[in-house]
Amino acid sequence: MHRIRLTVAYDGTDYCGWQVQPNGISVQKTLQNAIEDLVREPVALTGASRTDSGVHALGQVAVFDTDREIPPAKYAMALNQRLPGDIVVQKSEEVAQDFHPRYTNVRKTYEYRILGRRMPLPAERRYSWFVPAALDFDAMARAARLFEGEHDFRSFCSQKTDVRSTVRTIYRSELVRDGEIILYRVSGSGFLYNMVRILTGMLVMVGRGRRNAADIMKALEDPRPQAAAPVAPACGLTLVSVEYPDEEKNNKESEPKNN
Amino acid sequence: MHRIRLTVAYDGTDYCGWQVQPNGISVQKTLQNAIEDLVREPVALTGASRTDSGVHALGQVAVFDTDREIPPAKYAMALNQRLPGDIVVQKSEEVAQDFHPRYTNVRKTYEYRILGRRMPLPAERRYSWFVPAALDFDAMARAARLFEGEHDFRSFCSQKTDVRSTVRTIYRSELVRDGEIILYRVSGSGFLYNMVRILTGMLVMVGRGRRNAADIMKALEDPRPQAAAPVAPACGLTLVSVEYPDEEKNNKESEPKNN
């Protein structure tokens, strides 16, 4: 038995999210069908993060077990030949039998793209939140830093959240410019339901002058069940990477680079 | 009678190109329908550049005449309400009656995006040429400079070209990195049929070590009717801007900016 780990990029626009849903096509099911077509046996595919409908990924991690004797690195190309262009396996490798993609001890990194501009840009319509208003970048950048550290993020998740604790640790929360795009990058040990999208919603409220640093401090210090800001649209969000600390170094070294 | 100039961005993926074609939906026709729906009279719409099927634009320029008394700057928003998300009017303004978008004396700027990488990226599939090979960026950057100046570009156009002269002037031809993307930026007085895509095809051949600077010099000095390199795919190409020299300064000053 081999446990195979895939690193997967996808454009989530046309999917109902990672997870299999009663209606709509999921990324998980599409990928699972491609794997089953290749290995000719039923497989169970487990993902590191259940991204929502419309959310994208550069480095989703997914795992399955198989008895087939295919060289692990060959899965990526073989699966890409069976997948539509909006799902691409970036890397495949064998991992230990006890590796599970949903460790508690992972570091997840998300990026959220905001297009603050008078008119939308067609090529950005699937990959950013178009905000037709003047945004105070510096105020947003300062506000983003306030999320760093261990906090109770109850005010920054959807009510649907059903977890024992709403305390999470954010390692990095920063805003950078990328041409006309304002890019929000956030890394943490884990995120509550809709959390990154609500953090982004708060930053845009700050950028428009409707909330300030004091409002954020208050929402972190006095957590409430209702969300402190609107949920930013799914299309701007990308799961960039899921890192497993004990093997982070190995991953970086074996990553393919050719330019 | 008012002559209205539109600056238009579009994602060309789902169109048969700018110009009306017997089969397929053109950007021109889609835009013309929106204008006619707004002004309630037939209009003739003339574009600065007849972009090919699949080619994108950030700053296509198009002109029409109308008797309607709508404030010129209002056309952009009013048309965007009538257009699909992949065509967005960025700006509308009134111009002189004798303004024609296809002046001989314009400066056109194109960008071509090349993704040189082991695996494709889903979000780039509509907007770049995926080249799964090691590319020598420095050799490509040096080669790009060789196209600058006045040359007979007969070896860098498709045979379909039916023009009196194949001499054109390239003002700027340079390669820059934009994250994982290699961006080719070229500005000139005008371009022959498929010219930017063949220049790009040549640069990628150089990047792969299959052509060198001497091959480019020879193709420029000894023009042949057959193209000197393959035509790069349409999806990587974007018409960035069309500038009219005598009013370049005005355009820049009146451009909306809010971040």
Side-chain angles (χ1 to χ4, degrees):
Chain A
M1 181 69 81
H2 305 284
R3 179 157 287 194
I4 305 296
R5 176 166 73 182
L6 307 175
T7 304
V8 189
Y10 48 85
D11 177 338
T13 309
D14 298 328
Y15 294 93
C16 65
W18 168 260
Q19 205 165 24
V20 176
Q21 299 282 345
N23 39 18
I25 303 162
S26 71
V27 177
Q28 181 187 23
K29 183 67 180 163
T30 307
L31 187 52
Q32 193 172 309
N33 288 349
I35 298 168
E36 291 179 350
D37 182 62
L38 176 65
V39 303
R40 307 285 171 98
E41 62 184 12
V43 297
L45 186 68
T46 309
S49 181
R50 290 182 290 256
T51 57
D52 271 339
S53 176
V55 172
H56 316 292
L58 281 172
Q60 169 74 287
V61 169
V63 154
F64 66 95
D65 292 328
T66 181
D67 287 319
R68 283 288 303 273
E69 298 295 334
I70 296 171
K74 300 271 186 195
Y75 279 97
M77 281 292 189
L79 291 173
N80 289 341
Q81 285 163 6
R82 291 165 168 82
L83 285 166
D86 54 5
I87 302 179
V88 180
V89 178
Q90 299 291 310
K91 188 182 171 187
S92 56
E93 65 208 304
E94 184 161 4
V95 288
Q97 289 289 335
D98 64 351
F99 175 85
H100 190 282
R102 253 180 274 143
Y103 270 101
T104 49
N105 192 23
V106 299
R107 177 192 172 105
K108 289 184 186 171
T109 298
Y110 285 90
E111 275 184 5
Y112 196 102
R113 294 165 68 83
I114 301 159
L115 181 63
R117 198 170 187 279
R118 197 163 154 266
M119 292 292 183
L121 290 175
E124 287 294 340
R125 74 194 187 286
R126 290 160 159 256
Y127 309 111
S128 67
W129 179 16
F130 169 61
V131 180
L135 294 175
D136 181 341
F137 178 85
D138 295 334
M140 293 170 73
R142 283 191 303 271
R145 290 291 184 189
L146 299 175
F147 299 130
E148 293 181 348
E150 187 183 272
H151 302 284
D152 185 338
F153 285 98
R154 184 177 295 275
S155 305
F156 295 92
C157 63
S158 285
Q159 302 209 222
K160 277 198 266 179
T161 300
D162 180 28
V163 289
R164 272 165 300 178
S165 165
T166 47
V167 174
R168 292 291 184 277
T169 301
I170 301 283
Y171 305 124
R172 191 184 58 161
S173 168
E174 64 178 21
L175 222 64
V176 292
R177 282 189 187 281
D178 178 19
E180 291 199 283
I181 293 284
I182 295 174
L183 200 62
Y184 174 47
R185 284 191 189 136
V186 59
S187 298
S189 59
F191 294 91
L192 301 166
Y193 188 59
N194 278 346
M195 181 170 150
V196 180
R197 290 163 61 186
I198 296 172
L199 296 177
T200 306
M202 177 59 95
L203 295 179
V204 168
M205 296 286 269
V206 169
R208 300 181 70 172
R210 298 190 182 173
R211 293 281 190 289
N212 59 33
D215 297 315
I216 294 178
M217 298 304 284
K218 186 164 173 293
L220 289 173
E221 282 159 17
D222 179 21
R224 303 285 172 115
Q226 61 274 31
V231 183
C235 62
L237 186 61
T238 298
L239 171 63
V240 173
S241 62
V242 185
E243 290 172 47
Y244 300 87
D246 47 336
E247 45 178 30
E248 198 176 327
K249 196 166 157 286
N250 283 336
N251 281 349
K252 286 217 171 110
E253 276 170 4
S254 68
E255 223 159 78
K257 277 266 177 229
N258 70 8
N259 60 64
Chain B
M1 181 70 79
H2 305 284
R3 179 156 289 194
I4 306 295
R5 174 166 73 183
L6 306 176
T7 305
V8 189
Y10 48 85
D11 177 340
T13 308
D14 298 329
Y15 294 93
C16 66
W18 167 259
Q19 205 164 24
V20 175
Q21 298 282 345
N23 40 18
I25 303 163
S26 71
V27 177
Q28 182 187 23
K29 183 68 181 161
T30 306
L31 187 53
Q32 194 173 308
N33 288 348
I35 297 168
E36 291 179 349
D37 183 61
L38 176 64
V39 303
R40 307 284 171 99
E41 62 183 12
V43 297
L45 186 69
T46 309
S49 181
R50 288 181 292 256
T51 57
D52 271 337
S53 177
V55 172
H56 317 292
L58 281 172
Q60 169 75 288
V61 169
V63 155
F64 66 95
D65 291 330
T66 181
D67 287 320
R68 282 289 302 273
E69 297 295 336
I70 297 172
K74 300 269 186 197
Y75 278 98
M77 281 292 188
L79 291 173
N80 289 341
Q81 285 163 6
R82 290 164 169 84
L83 285 166
D86 53 4
I87 302 180
V88 180
V89 178
Q90 300 291 309
K91 189 182 171 185
S92 56
E93 66 207 302
E94 185 162 4
V95 287
Q97 290 289 336
D98 64 351
F99 175 84
H100 191 282
R102 253 180 275 142
Y103 270 100
T104 48
N105 191 23
V106 298
R107 177 191 171 104
K108 288 184 186 172
T109 298
Y110 284 90
E111 275 185 5
Y112 196 102
R113 293 166 68 83
I114 301 159
L115 181 62
R117 197 170 187 279
R118 196 164 155 266
M119 292 293 183
L121 290 175
E124 287 294 340
R125 74 194 188 288
R126 291 161 158 256
Y127 309 111
S128 67
W129 179 17
F130 170 60
V131 180
L135 295 174
D136 182 340
F137 177 85
D138 295 334
M140 292 170 74
R142 283 191 303 272
R145 291 289 183 189
L146 300 175
F147 298 131
E148 292 180 348
E150 185 183 272
H151 303 284
D152 184 339
F153 285 98
R154 184 176 295 275
S155 304
F156 294 92
C157 64
S158 285
Q159 303 210 220
K160 277 198 264 177
T161 300
D162 180 28
V163 287
R164 272 166 301 179
S165 164
T166 47
V167 174
R168 292 291 182 278
T169 300
I170 300 282
Y171 305 124
R172 191 184 59 160
S173 168
E174 64 179 19
L175 221 65
V176 294
R177 282 189 186 282
D178 177 18
E180 291 199 282
I181 293 285
I182 296 175
L183 199 62
Y184 174 47
R185 284 191 189 136
V186 59
S187 298
S189 59
F191 294 90
L192 301 165
Y193 188 59
N194 278 345
M195 181 170 151
V196 179
R197 291 162 61 186
I198 295 171
L199 296 178
T200 306
M202 177 59 95
L203 294 180
V204 167
M205 296 286 270
V206 169
R208 301 181 69 173
R210 298 188 181 175
R211 294 281 190 287
N212 58 33
D215 296 316
I216 293 177
M217 298 304 284
K218 188 165 172 291
L220 289 173
E221 283 158 17
D222 178 21
R224 303 284 173 114
Q226 62 273 32
V231 183
C235 62
L237 186 61
T238 298
L239 171 63
V240 173
S241 63
V242 185
E243 291 173 44
Y244 300 87
D246 46 337
E247 44 177 32
E248 198 176 327
K249 195 166 156 286
N250 284 335
N251 281 348
K252 285 219 170 108
E253 276 172 3
S254 68
E255 222 159 79
K257 277 266 179 231
N258 70 8
N259 62 62

Coordinates of all heavy atoms in Angstrom, one line a residue, chain B residues 144-178:
Chain B
A144 N 15.3 40.5 -27.5 CA 14.1 41.4 -27.7 C 14.5 42.8 -28.2 O 13.8 43.4 -29.0 CB 13.3 41.5 -26.4
R145 N 15.7 43.2 -27.7 CA 16.2 44.6 -28.0 C 16.5 44.7 -29.5 O 16.5 45.8 -30.0 CB 17.4 44.9 -27.2 CG 17.2 45.1 -25.7 CD 16.4 46.4 -25.5 NE 16.2 46.7 -24.1 CZ 15.5 47.6 -23.6 NH1 14.8 48.4 -24.5 NH2 15.3 47.8 -22.3
L146 N 16.8 43.6 -30.2 CA 17.2 43.7 -31.6 C 16.1 44.1 -32.5 O 16.3 44.6 -33.6 CB 17.7 42.3 -32.0 CG 19.0 41.7 -31.3 CD1 19.3 40.3 -31.7 CD2 20.2 42.6 -31.5
F147 N 14.8 44.0 -32.0 CA 13.7 44.4 -32.9 C 13.5 45.9 -32.9 O 12.7 46.4 -33.7 CB 12.4 43.7 -32.4 CG 12.5 42.2 -32.4 CD1 12.1 41.4 -31.4 CD2 12.9 41.5 -33.6 CE1 12.1 40.0 -31.4 CE2 12.9 40.1 -33.7 CZ 12.5 39.4 -32.6
E148 N 14.1 46.6 -31.9 CA 13.9 48.0 -31.8 C 14.4 48.8 -33.1 O 15.4 48.3 -33.7 CB 14.5 48.6 -30.5 CG 13.8 48.1 -29.3 CD 14.3 48.6 -28.0 OE1 15.4 49.2 -28.0 OE2 13.7 48.4 -27.0
G149 N 13.7 49.8 -33.5 CA 14.2 50.6 -34.6 C 13.3 50.3 -35.9 O 12.3 49.6 -35.8
E150 N 13.7 50.9 -37.0 CA 13.0 50.7 -38.2 C 13.6 49.5 -39.0 O 14.8 49.5 -39.3 CB 13.1 52.0 -39.1 CG 12.2 51.9 -40.4 CD 12.3 53.1 -41.2 OE1 11.6 54.1 -41.0 OE2 13.2 53.1 -42.2
H151 N 12.7 48.5 -39.3 CA 13.2 47.3 -40.0 C 12.1 46.9 -40.9 O 10.9 47.2 -40.8 CB 13.4 46.2 -39.0 CG 14.4 46.5 -37.9 ND1 15.7 46.5 -38.1 CD2 14.2 46.7 -36.6 CE1 16.4 46.7 -37.0 NE2 15.5 46.9 -36.1
D152 N 12.5 46.1 -41.9 CA 11.5 45.4 -42.8 C 11.2 44.1 -42.0 O 12.0 43.2 -41.9 CB 12.1 45.1 -44.1 CG 11.1 44.5 -45.1 OD1 10.1 43.9 -44.6 OD2 11.3 44.5 -46.3
F153 N 9.9 44.0 -41.5 CA 9.5 42.9 -40.7 C 8.8 41.8 -41.6 O 8.0 41.0 -41.0 CB 8.6 43.3 -39.6 CG 9.4 44.0 -38.5 CD1 9.4 45.4 -38.4 CD2 10.0 43.3 -37.5 CE1 10.2 46.0 -37.4 CE2 10.7 43.9 -36.5 CZ 10.8 45.3 -36.4
R154 N 9.1 41.7 -42.8 CA 8.5 40.7 -43.7 C 8.7 39.3 -43.1 O 7.8 38.5 -43.2 CB 9.1 40.8 -45.1 CG 8.4 39.8 -46.1 CD 8.9 40.0 -47.5 NE 8.6 41.3 -48.1 CZ 7.4 41.6 -48.7 NH1 6.5 40.7 -48.8 NH2 7.2 42.8 -49.1
S155 N 9.8 39.0 -42.5 CA 10.1 37.7 -42.0 C 9.3 37.4 -40.7 O 9.4 36.4 -40.1 CB 11.6 37.5 -41.7 OG 12.3 37.7 -42.8
F156 N 8.6 38.5 -40.2 CA 7.9 38.4 -38.9 C 6.4 38.7 -39.0 O 5.8 39.3 -38.2 CB 8.5 39.3 -37.9 CG 9.9 38.9 -37.5 CD1 11.0 39.4 -38.2 CD2 10.2 38.0 -36.5 CE1 12.3 39.0 -37.9 CE2 11.5 37.6 -36.2 CZ 12.6 38.1 -36.9
C157 N 5.8 38.2 -40.2 CA 4.4 38.4 -40.3 C 3.9 37.1 -41.0 O 4.6 36.4 -41.6 CB 4.0 39.6 -41.0 SG 4.6 39.7 -42.7
S158 N 2.5 36.9 -40.9 CA 1.9 35.8 -41.6 C 1.8 36.1 -43.1 O 1.6 37.3 -43.5 CB 0.6 35.5 -41.0 OG 0.8 34.8 -39.8
Q159 N 1.8 35.1 -43.9 CA 1.7 35.3 -45.4 C 0.5 36.0 -45.8 O 0.4 36.6 -46.8 CB 1.9 34.0 -46.1 CG 3.1 33.3 -45.7 CD 3.7 32.4 -46.8 OE1 4.1 31.3 -46.5 NE2 3.6 32.8 -48.0
K160 N -0.6 35.9 -45.0 CA -1.9 36.6 -45.3 C -1.7 38.1 -45.4 O -2.6 38.7 -45.9 CB -2.9 36.2 -44.2 CG -3.6 34.9 -44.4 CD -4.9 34.8 -43.6 CE -4.7 34.1 -42.3 NZ -5.9 34.1 -41.5
T161 N -0.6 38.6 -44.8 CA -0.4 40.1 -44.8 C -0.5 40.6 -46.2 O 0.1 40.1 -47.2 CB 1.0 40.4 -44.3 OG1 1.0 39.9 -42.9 CG2 1.2 41.9 -44.2
D162 N -1.4 41.7 -46.4 CA -1.6 42.2 -47.7 C -1.4 43.8 -47.6 O -2.3 44.5 -47.5 CB -3.0 41.9 -48.2 CG -3.2 42.4 -49.6 OD1 -2.3 42.7 -50.3 OD2 -4.4 42.7 -49.9
V163 N -0.1 44.2 -47.4 CA 0.1 45.6 -47.2 C 1.2 46.0 -48.2 O 2.0 45.2 -48.7 CB 0.6 45.9 -45.8 CG1 -0.5 45.8 -44.8 CG2 1.7 45.0 -45.4
R164 N 1.2 47.3 -48.5 CA 2.2 47.8 -49.5 C 3.6 47.6 -49.0 O 4.5 47.2 -49.6 CB 1.9 49.3 -49.8 CG 0.9 49.4 -51.0 CD 0.4 50.8 -51.1 NE -0.3 51.2 -49.8 CZ -0.8 52.4 -49.6 NH1 -0.7 53.3 -50.5 NH2 -1.4 52.7 -48.5
S165 N 3.8 48.0 -47.7 CA 5.2 48.0 -47.2 C 5.2 47.2 -45.9 O 4.2 47.2 -45.1 CB 5.6 49.4 -46.9 OG 6.8 49.4 -46.0
T166 N 6.2 46.4 -45.7 CA 6.4 45.6 -44.5 C 7.4 46.3 -43.5 O 7.9 45.6 -42.6 CB 6.7 44.2 -44.8 OG1 7.8 44.1 -45.7 CG2 5.5 43.4 -45.3
V167 N 7.7 47.5 -43.8 CA 8.6 48.3 -42.9 C 7.8 48.9 -41.8 O 6.8 49.5 -42.0 CB 9.4 49.4 -43.7 CG1 10.2 50.2 -42.8 CG2 10.3 48.8 -44.8
R168 N 8.3 48.6 -40.6 CA 7.6 49.2 -39.4 C 8.7 49.7 -38.4 O 9.8 49.2 -38.5 CB 6.7 48.2 -38.7 CG 5.5 47.7 -39.5 CD 4.5 48.8 -39.6 NE 3.3 48.4 -40.3 CZ 3.1 48.3 -41.6 NH1 4.1 48.6 -42.4 NH2 2.0 47.9 -42.1
T169 N 8.3 50.6 -37.5 CA 9.2 51.1 -36.5 C 8.8 50.6 -35.1 O 7.6 50.8 -34.7 CB 9.2 52.7 -36.5 OG1 9.7 53.1 -37.8 CG2 10.2 53.2 -35.5
I170 N 9.7 50.0 -34.5 CA 9.5 49.5 -33.1 C 10.2 50.5 -32.1 O 11.4 50.7 -32.2 CB 10.0 48.1 -32.9 CG1 9.4 47.1 -33.8 CG2 9.9 47.7 -31.4 CD1 8.0 46.7 -33.5
Y171 N 9.4 51.1 -31.3 CA 10.0 52.1 -30.4 C 10.6 51.4 -29.2 O 11.6 51.9 -28.6 CB 8.9 53.1 -29.9 CG 8.2 53.8 -31.0 CD1 6.8 53.7 -31.1 CD2 8.9 54.5 -32.0 CE1 6.1 54.4 -32.1 CE2 8.2 55.2 -33.0 CZ 6.8 55.1 -33.0 OH 6.1 55.7 -34.0
R172 N 10.0 50.4 -28.7 CA 10.5 49.7 -27.5 C 10.1 48.2 -27.6 O 9.0 47.9 -28.0 CB 9.8 50.3 -26.2 CG 10.4 49.9 -24.9 CD 9.6 50.4 -23.8 NE 8.2 49.9 -23.8 CZ 7.4 49.9 -22.8 NH1 7.8 50.4 -21.6 NH2 6.1 49.5 -22.9
S173 N 11.1 47.4 -27.2 CA 10.8 45.9 -27.3 C 11.6 45.3 -26.1 O 12.8 45.2 -26.2 CB 11.3 45.4 -28.6 OG 11.4 44.0 -28.6
E174 N 10.9 45.0 -25.0 CA 11.7 44.6 -23.9 C 11.0 43.4 -23.1 O 9.8 43.3 -23.2 CB 12.0 45.7 -22.9 CG 10.7 46.3 -22.3 CD 11.0 47.5 -21.4 OE1 12.1 48.1 -21.4 OE2 10.1 47.8 -20.6
L175 N 11.8 42.7 -22.4 CA 11.3 41.6 -21.6 C 11.5 41.9 -20.1 O 12.5 42.3 -19.7 CB 12.2 40.3 -21.9 CG 11.4 39.0 -22.1 CD1 10.5 39.1 -23.3 CD2 12.4 37.9 -22.3
V176 N 10.4 41.7 -19.3 CA 10.5 41.8 -17.9 C 9.9 40.6 -17.2 O 9.1 39.9 -17.8 CB 9.8 43.2 -17.4 CG1 10.5 44.4 -17.9 CG2 8.4 43.2 -17.8
R177 N 10.3 40.4 -16.0 CA 9.7 39.4 -15.1 C 8.6 40.0 -14.3 O 8.7 41.1 -13.8 CB 10.7 38.8 -14.2 CG 11.7 37.9 -14.8 CD 12.6 37.3 -13.6 NE 13.6 36.5 -14.2 CZ 13.4 35.2 -14.7 NH1 12.2 34.7 -14.7 NH2 14.4 34.6 -15.2
D178 N 7.5 39.2 -14.2 CA 6.4 39.6 -13.4 C 6.0 38.3 -12.6 O 5.1 37.6 -13.0 CB 5.2 40.1 -14.2 CG 4.0 40.5 -13.4 OD1 4.1 40.7 -12.2 OD2 2.9 40.6 -13.9

